[in-house]
Protein backbone atom coordinates (compact mmCIF):
# COMPACT_ATOMS: atom_id res chain seq x y z
CA UNK A 1 0.00 0.00 0.00
CA UNK A 2 1.60 3.27 -1.05
CA UNK A 3 1.47 6.59 0.86
CA UNK A 4 -1.43 7.95 -1.20
CA UNK A 5 -3.66 5.00 -0.41
CA UNK A 6 -2.75 5.17 3.27
CA UNK A 7 -3.50 8.89 3.29
CA UNK A 8 -6.87 8.28 1.62
CA UNK A 9 -7.63 5.60 4.19
CA UNK A 10 -6.82 8.01 7.02
CA UNK A 11 -9.06 10.68 5.47
CA UNK A 12 -11.88 8.16 5.12
CA UNK A 13 -11.41 7.15 8.74
CA UNK A 14 -11.60 10.79 9.86
CA UNK A 15 -14.74 11.34 7.79
CA UNK A 16 -16.36 8.25 9.34
CA UNK A 17 -15.46 9.44 12.84
CA UNK A 18 -17.00 12.82 12.06
CA UNK A 19 -20.19 11.15 10.78
CA UNK A 20 -20.38 8.95 13.87
CA UNK A 21 -19.99 11.98 16.14
CA UNK A 22 -22.72 13.88 14.27
CA UNK A 23 -24.99 10.84 14.38
CA UNK A 24 -24.33 10.45 18.09
CA UNK A 25 -25.44 14.03 18.74
CA UNK A 26 -28.48 13.76 16.47
CA UNK A 27 -29.68 10.52 18.09
CA UNK A 28 -29.37 12.03 21.57
CA UNK A 29 -31.72 14.81 20.43
CA UNK A 30 -34.35 12.48 18.97
CA UNK A 31 -37.33 11.22 20.92
CA UNK A 32 -38.96 7.80 20.52
CA UNK A 33 -42.05 6.57 22.34
CA UNK A 34 -43.51 3.10 22.86
CA UNK A 35 -46.62 2.01 24.71
CA UNK A 36 -47.84 -1.19 26.34
CA UNK A 37 -51.21 -2.33 27.60
CA UNK A 38 -53.08 -0.46 24.90
CA UNK A 39 -51.42 2.81 25.87
CA UNK A 40 -51.79 2.42 29.63
CA UNK A 41 -48.00 2.69 30.03
CA UNK A 42 -45.87 4.85 27.74
CA UNK A 43 -42.09 5.09 27.80
CA UNK A 44 -40.07 7.80 26.07
CA UNK A 45 -36.39 7.44 25.19
CA UNK A 46 -33.80 9.33 23.20
CA UNK A 47 -32.55 7.97 19.90
CA UNK A 48 -29.83 6.02 21.67
CA UNK A 49 -32.34 4.19 23.86
CA UNK A 50 -31.78 6.08 27.10
CA UNK A 51 -35.12 6.22 28.89
CA UNK A 52 -36.24 9.79 29.49
CA UNK A 53 -39.73 9.38 30.87
CA UNK A 54 -42.61 7.09 31.83
CA UNK A 55 -46.32 7.95 31.71
CA UNK A 56 -48.85 5.76 33.48
CA UNK A 57 -52.60 5.95 33.01
CA UNK A 58 -54.08 6.48 36.51
CA UNK A 59 -56.60 3.71 35.79
CA UNK A 60 -53.74 1.20 35.88
CA UNK A 61 -52.58 2.19 39.35
CA UNK A 62 -54.18 -0.35 41.62
CA UNK A 63 -52.45 -1.87 44.64
CA UNK A 64 -53.69 -5.31 43.55
CA UNK A 65 -52.26 -4.88 40.06
CA UNK A 66 -48.70 -3.74 40.81
CA UNK A 67 -47.18 -6.80 39.15
CA UNK A 68 -49.12 -6.13 35.92
CA UNK A 69 -48.02 -2.48 35.99
CA UNK A 70 -44.39 -3.53 36.43
CA UNK A 71 -44.72 -5.91 33.48
CA UNK A 72 -46.22 -3.15 31.31
CA UNK A 73 -43.37 -0.78 32.18
CA UNK A 74 -40.77 -3.40 31.28
CA UNK A 75 -42.59 -4.18 28.01
CA UNK A 76 -42.82 -0.54 26.96
CA UNK A 77 -39.20 0.17 27.95
CA UNK A 78 -37.95 -2.87 26.05
CA UNK A 79 -39.90 -1.85 22.95
CA UNK A 80 -38.66 1.75 22.91
CA UNK A 81 -35.07 0.55 23.37
CA UNK A 82 -35.52 -1.96 20.53
CA UNK A 83 -36.81 0.84 18.29
CA UNK A 84 -33.90 3.08 19.23
CA UNK A 85 -31.38 0.30 18.55
CA UNK A 86 -32.99 -0.41 15.17
CA UNK A 87 -32.96 3.29 14.25
CA UNK A 88 -29.34 3.61 15.33
CA UNK A 89 -28.30 0.61 13.24
CA UNK A 90 -30.09 2.00 10.17
CA UNK A 91 -28.44 5.38 10.62
CA UNK A 92 -25.03 3.76 11.04
CA UNK A 93 -25.47 1.79 7.82
CA UNK A 94 -26.30 5.01 5.98
CA UNK A 95 -23.36 6.82 7.59
CA UNK A 96 -21.06 4.04 6.40
CA UNK A 97 -22.27 4.57 2.84
CA UNK A 98 -23.40 0.97 2.58
CA UNK A 99 -19.96 -0.40 3.43
CA UNK A 100 -20.49 -3.46 5.65
CA UNK A 101 -18.45 -2.89 8.80
CA UNK A 102 -18.91 -5.56 11.49
CA UNK A 103 -19.80 -4.10 14.89
CA UNK A 104 -20.40 -0.61 13.48
CA UNK A 105 -23.55 -0.08 15.57
CA UNK A 106 -21.46 -0.70 18.69
CA UNK A 107 -19.55 2.51 18.01
CA UNK A 108 -22.50 4.42 19.46
CA UNK A 109 -22.67 2.13 22.48
Amino acid sequence: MDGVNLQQLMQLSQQMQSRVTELHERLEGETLTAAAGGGMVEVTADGKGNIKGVKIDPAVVDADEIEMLEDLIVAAASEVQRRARERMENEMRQAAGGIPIPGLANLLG
Side-chain angles (χ1 to χ4, degrees), residues 32-48:
L32 301 167
T33 303
M40 293 186 290
V41 173
E42 186 176 279
V43 176
T44 303
D46 66 19
K48 292 173 60 181

Side-chain angles (χ1 to χ4, degrees), residues 31-73:
T31 301
L32 301 167
T33 303
M40 293 186 290
V41 173
E42 186 176 279
V43 176
T44 303
D46 66 19
K48 292 173 60 181
N50 298 314
I51 295 174
K52 298 297 183 180
V54 176
K55 289 185 181 178
I56 300 171
D57 183 329
V60 183
V61 182
D62 179 347
D64 295 330
E65 298 294 332
I66 294 296
E67 188 174 333
M68 180 190 71
L69 179 57
E70 292 168 344
D71 290 343
L72 291 174
I73 292 169

Side-chain angles (χ1 to χ4, degrees), residues 4-84:
V4 174
N5 288 337
L6 184 57
Q7 184 177 6
Q8 289 173 341
L9 184 59
M10 291 298 293
Q11 288 175 344
L12 180 60
S13 174
Q14 289 172 347
Q15 289 173 358
M16 281 297 300
Q17 183 60 41
S18 176
R19 287 181 184 170
V20 168
T21 299
E22 290 171 16
L23 180 58
H24 223 321
E25 292 169 359
R26 192 172 74 236
L27 288 172
E28 285 178 346
E30 289 185 359
T31 301
L32 301 167
T33 303
M40 293 186 290
V41 173
E42 186 176 279
V43 176
T44 303
D46 66 19
K48 292 173 60 181
N50 298 314
I51 295 174
K52 298 297 183 180
V54 176
K55 289 185 181 178
I56 300 171
D57 183 329
V60 183
V61 182
D62 179 347
D64 295 330
E65 298 294 332
I66 294 296
E67 188 174 333
M68 180 190 71
L69 179 57
E70 292 168 344
D71 290 343
L72 291 174
I73 292 169
V74 169
S78 295
E79 176 61 17
V80 79
Q81 288 178 323
R82 183 196 65 75
R83 289 180 187 177

